[in-house]
Amino acid sequence: MKQLAKLYFSSSLLMRIFIGFLAGSAIGCAMWLLGTPEQTTSALQYIKPFGDLLVSMLKMIVVPVICLSLIVGAASLPIQRFGKVGLKVIGWYLLCSFLAAAVGALMATAFNPGSEAALQAWESIASSSQVQEAAQLKAVQAETKQGGILSILLSMFENPFSALSNGNFLAIITFSILFGLALRVLLEGSKEAKQQSALNKLMEMISAGRDIIFKLVDWILEYTPIGVFALSIANFSAYGPKIAGPYVEVTLGVIAGVLVMIFIAYPLLLAVVTKRNPIPIMKIMQEAIITAFITRSSAATLPVSIRVAEDDLKVKNELASFSLPLGATINMDGVCVHLPMFAILAANMFSLDLGFSALVVLVITTVLASIGAGGVPGGSLMLLFIILQAMGLDPTQISIIVALALGINPILDMFETANNVTGDLVCTYAVASTSDLIDKSA
């Protein structure tokens, strides 16, 4: 047993998740093909709780992770140190994130993943109480649709304690960002030594709390392969190989969205801002983009991105050294592309109505939640969990989507990271071009 545990922890987490997914899928398909419904049900009552445990642990940790990460992320923005240029960088990152989320929503609507799934089979997992919850959810969605944009705006400024108890993530995100920004303004503007010391201690306490939560996330991620194994068995034993259809649809949809951002959206933005042909500029960025694709890490790509920005794009160091590390933290365009795809998939699988108002909430929630989540271990998974909970899915339904996401995450992560790094470089170059921070003497 000791040797087995040593072998388990010595291999990479990614490999363990992938093996767990493949093994669980194979066993689930075998159960679907060879077992009777009674045998499958009997076996799943011992297997499925291991998958439900993963979902429950993620549900436990997601609110403190996002809340503390957003406060620290917002409070770390050097608003005064870099002045108008710093605000311009932040504005560009937010613009590109909203654009990526909008592209993701459009692609998700176009690909409509899961629309051909056998809805009766998916709905068979719901107990009578879950059916009642679904009915209540549709009633809430109808009320939201009637309220329109005004209802969305008002929901962003709910009492934070009420929002925590009700699971209103949009309000939690809004409060966390505003709290962090207020803390930053006080830190930069305070002239009293006593207040400055108290604020710094508060910032240190929040940062320490975030680090503690990150350690909990690391522990949960170590359990993830076991949870994925159990969830894959449960899903494939219930629906068979036909469940593979959504994998293909989601993967193609996300890749298409990323390609639209890299080859259409970003070049158009550069053309409008710089009044130059964007193709040579994008070609210069290709080394950093390829590195991001291979490493699947914005942090690991950061030295290459800074060198490309300074040496090849001629962006001055004072901007590149600030903008690119900041982008690795708050700019997650690739994730903003892929989250709407899973939201539409969930809506189709579980017969939820995602109208215009719901899509607007989805885009806003995705962008705001992505701020500060770049340094979170398993950050995209946490954001996905927020989106699914905000849609009102029950734990069983969330477990299905999470299992789907984990199964194809290594493939999607390569494209998402490439998109993130491209967005960082495009925003940095656009700000440099409009702020006279291109080194023309070099």
Side-chain angles (χ1 to χ4, degrees), residues 111-124 235 238-250 344-352 400-401 404:
F111 277 82
N112 208 18
S115 59
E116 300 301 324
L119 292 177
Q120 289 182 350
W122 291 103
E123 291 169 350
S124 67
N235 290 341
Y239 316 118
K242 68 178 73 173
I243 199 178
Y247 283 91
V248 177
E249 293 171 337
V250 169
I344 297 293
L345 173 65
N348 284 330
M349 286 183 168
F350 306 115
S351 301
L352 302 181
I400 292 174
I401 304 300
L404 285 168

Side-chain angles (χ1 to χ4, degrees), residues 66 70 94 97-102 105 148-157 168-174 177 336 339-340 356-371 383 386-387 390:
I66 295 301
L70 287 175
L94 289 175
S97 293
F98 273 110
L99 179 60
I149 302 300
L150 179 60
S151 176
I152 298 169
L153 184 63
L154 292 175
S155 71
M156 293 173 65
F157 300 96
N168 182 355
F169 280 100
L170 199 55
I172 295 170
I173 291 165
T174 302
I177 292 174
C336 290
L339 288 179
F356 177 75
S357 296
L359 283 174
V360 171
V361 172
L362 176 64
V363 169
I364 293 173
T365 306
T366 299
V367 173
L368 294 181
S370 69
I371 299 172
L383 296 183
I386 284 182
I387 296 300

Side-chain angles (χ1 to χ4, degrees), residues 181-240:
L181 289 174
L183 177 57
R184 185 66 196 184
V185 169
L186 287 174
L187 279 169
E188 293 185 347
S190 177
K191 293 183 171 61
E192 296 182 15
K194 189 174 180 181
Q195 184 187 45
Q196 188 78 25
S197 174
L199 291 170
N200 282 323
K201 287 180 180 177
L202 176 60
M203 183 67 180
E204 289 173 2
M205 286 179 62
I206 296 173
S207 297
R210 183 197 60 171
D211 294 340
I212 292 169
I213 293 296
F214 280 10
K215 177 53 65 176
L216 290 178
V217 173
D218 287 338
W219 291 348
I220 292 172
L221 290 177
E222 290 296 334
Y223 176 78
T224 298
I226 299 172
V228 170
F229 176 70
L231 290 171
S232 299
I233 292 176
N235 290 341
F236 278 88
S237 65
Y239 316 118

Side-chain angles (χ1 to χ4, degrees), residues 1 21 36 86 119 163-165 175 179 184 202 205 246 278 320 335 362 372 398 400 426:
M1 183 61 72
F21 169 70
T36 64
L119 292 177
L164 286 169
S165 63
F175 177 80
F179 186 93
R184 185 66 196 184
L202 176 60
M205 286 179 62
V335 176
L362 176 64
I398 289 175
I400 292 174
V426 167

Side-chain angles (χ1 to χ4, degrees), residues 371-435:
I371 299 172
V376 180
S380 62
L381 182 61
M382 295 296 169
L383 296 183
L384 174 61
F385 211 85
I386 284 182
I387 296 300
L388 296 178
Q389 281 198 299
M391 290 173 64
L393 298 186
D394 62 53
T396 304
Q397 294 167 334
I398 289 175
S399 69
I400 292 174
I401 304 300
V402 168
L404 285 168
L406 286 169
I408 57 178
N409 187 64
I411 298 172
L412 299 183
D413 201 27
M414 294 188 293
F415 290 90
E416 289 167 15
T417 308
N419 193 353
N420 293 342
V421 170
T422 307
D424 295 345
L425 286 168
V426 167
C427 290
T428 299
Y429 189 79
V431 172
S433 298
T434 57
S435 304

Side-chain angles (χ1 to χ4, degrees), residues 5-69:
K6 186 177 180 181
L7 178 64
Y8 178 82
F9 288 108
S10 63
S11 57
S12 71
L13 178 63
L14 177 62
M15 183 60 66
R16 280 180 274 152
I17 291 175
F18 191 62
I19 292 173
F21 169 70
L22 290 180
S25 302
I27 294 172
C29 286
M31 292 171 64
W32 182 77
L33 289 169
L34 304 175
T36 64
E38 292 77 15
Q39 291 172 330
T40 300
T41 302
S42 177
L44 286 181
Q45 68 178 335
Y46 299 104
I47 297 172
K48 197 169 181 296
F50 290 96
D52 293 339
L53 178 60
L54 172 62
V55 176
S56 296
M57 288 193 294
L58 290 172
K59 189 175 181 180
M60 171 190 73
I61 205 74
V62 67
V63 170
V65 163
I66 295 301
C67 187
L68 292 175
S69 296

